Amino acid sequence: LTHHAMRSLVSMEAIRGIERERLERVARMYSSNDLASKALGITARSFSRLCRKHGIETPYCRKRRH
């Protein structure tokens, strides 16, 4: 496997292991999607997608709302 393919596989495993409660907690704790996603070990895009899938407000959306 190429380096990129390996990173994709590792990222997919990380995404599958994230529970909804942990996602909610991290979304509340951090001030940006980038920081939240790094805390979870996933990309910011994956973090945003997971939050949208579970109906969780992201730090980015929270900032825009206030």
Side-chain angles (χ1 to χ4, degrees):
L1 290 172
T2 66
H3 177 70
H4 180 71
M6 281 298 288
R7 282 187 53 130
S8 292
L9 286 174
V10 169
S11 181
M12 289 305 296
E13 285 302 312
I15 291 167
R16 284 190 198 113
I18 297 170
E19 312 94 25
R20 186 185 191 334
E21 294 81 21
R22 185 169 176 220
L23 191 63
E24 286 176 325
R25 186 171 58 249
V26 168
R28 282 193 313 269
M29 286 174 54
Y30 289 90
S31 61
S32 73
N33 289 7
D34 192 48
L35 291 173
S37 64
K38 284 181 181 166
L40 292 170
I42 61 175
T43 65
R45 183 175 179 181
S46 294
F47 173 73
S48 297
R49 196 176 293 136
L50 278 172
C51 286
R52 191 168 38 255
K53 175 183 171 186
H54 292 290
I56 298 168
E57 183 178 50
T58 64
Y60 174 78
C61 289
R62 190 175 59 240
K63 269 194 243 179
R64 292 198 65 197
R65 187 170 45 86
H66 288 121

